Amino acid sequence: QKEVEQDPGPLSVPEGAIVSLNCTYSNSAFQYFMWYRQYSRKGPELLMYTYSSGNKEDGRFTAQVDKSSKYISLFIRDSQPSDSATYLCAAYNNNDMRFGAGTRLTVKP
Amino acid sequence: ETGVTQTPRHLVMGMTNKKSLKCEQHLGHNAMYWYKQSAKKPLELMFVYNFKEQTENNSVPSRFSPECPNSSHLFLHLHTLQPEDSALYLCASSQPQGPGYGYTFGSGTRLTVV
């Protein structure tokens, strides 16, 4: 079983749609949860991180963690073509960072 | 650029060649990492260096050999690779104490083994 499971997609949505990206994880020791965005021909860049359960909002992006169900979500409101990228979730505890496989998102104009 | 620079961006090598990947960061980070990224698979941690000392070797074949001469530079020496080693190799750096600012990744080296 992978430590962090993520559907690789691809996912295609029209501009303006609400996007929901999700991951599950197996190790209850994970305390920090992150979302990275990776554009084509670039390395991943940190988009958002949360500690433990709860929500965190940053502009059009909302990260949500439910530790009871070991579920990580990223919501993108009013999606734009510039949001087209691969989104990787990650979970971290005690120098152990585990990544999901990434979901490839395309937002069509 | 993110502050982590990787060279070369692309590399094609034969199975009998020897080549090296280079990574450089001037962010003042003390931890550096090599990751392998293959299509539709999670990022695969290969090596970790904290304060120039290797702290993790994730069962990586000996045909991959890391070198960290100082806290700003990291190399990955390659020899007698296999076609299945073709992938994007990413270097990252961070402060070792915690993930609050995440890892800073370079743009990667796209390696093709022929």
Side-chain angles (χ1 to χ4, degrees):
Chain A
Q1 184 186 15
K2 294 176 185 172
E3 293 269 12
V4 179
E5 297 267 7
Q6 183 177 10
D7 184 344
L11 179 63
S12 181
V13 301
E15 183 175 354
I18 296 175
V19 177
S20 173
L21 303 170
N22 307 294
C23 294
T24 59
Y25 64 93
S26 57
N27 187 348
S28 58
F30 288 133
Q31 295 287 339
Y32 292 86
F33 303 92
M34 280 140 281
W35 284 95
Y36 284 81
R37 178 175 60 195
Q38 185 175 18
Y39 289 116
S40 180
R41 300 187 190 86
K42 295 286 188 181
E45 58 176 340
L46 182 65
L47 189 60
M48 297 183 71
Y49 90 94
T50 55
Y51 173 71
S52 195
S53 282
N55 291 1
K56 187 171 185 178
E57 191 172 318
D58 184 2
R60 296 183 295 109
F61 297 88
T62 300
Q64 196 171 77
V65 177
D66 181 347
K67 290 195 72 179
S68 62
S69 58
K70 299 190 181 70
Y71 204 78
I72 313 165
S73 299
L74 178 71
F75 299 98
I76 307 174
R77 291 184 299 281
D78 187 25
S79 56
Q80 303 294 308
S82 58
D83 296 328
S84 298
T86 297
Y87 290 81
L88 297 90
C89 61
Y92 175 94
N93 183 59
N94 196 26
N95 291 325
D96 185 16
M97 176 87 81
R98 302 287 174 155
F99 289 87
T103 300
R104 186 172 176 180
L105 171 68
T106 301
V107 181
K108 295 186 174 180
Chain B
E1 289 296 335
T2 62
V4 177
T5 302
Q6 287 188 246
T7 54
R9 292 295 302 273
H10 300 274
L11 178 62
V12 179
M13 58 186 289
M15 292 167 58
T16 58
N17 291 159
K18 289 185 180 181
K19 296 286 184 184
S20 295
L21 310 185
K22 181 182 176 183
C23 176
E24 186 173 352
Q25 61 94 6
H26 296 287
L27 299 170
H29 291 169
N30 294 313
M32 296 187 77
Y33 313 81
W34 280 115
Y35 279 91
K36 177 183 179 182
Q37 187 175 35
S38 304
K40 300 198 174 182
K41 290 185 178 179
L43 287 178
E44 211 175 307
L45 179 64
M46 300 175 72
F47 301 103
V48 181
Y49 279 83
N50 279 305
F51 296 94
K52 301 189 302 176
E53 299 297 322
Q54 184 174 313
T55 56
E56 190 159 344
N57 173 344
N58 233 17
S59 303
V60 179
S62 60
R63 56 186 184 269
F64 295 91
S65 174
E67 179 190 359
C68 189
N70 55 61
S71 57
S72 297
H73 294 86
L74 186 64
F75 295 89
L76 187 63
H77 303 298
L78 316 171
H79 66 97
T80 59
L81 295 190
Q82 304 298 310
E84 61 264 28
D85 297 322
S86 298
L88 182 68
Y89 288 84
L90 291 163
C91 173
S93 69
S94 75
Q95 292 293 9
Q97 288 81 6
Y101 295 98
Y103 291 3
T104 302
F105 285 88
S107 293
T109 295
R110 174 67 64 182
L111 174 66
T112 303
V113 180
V114 296

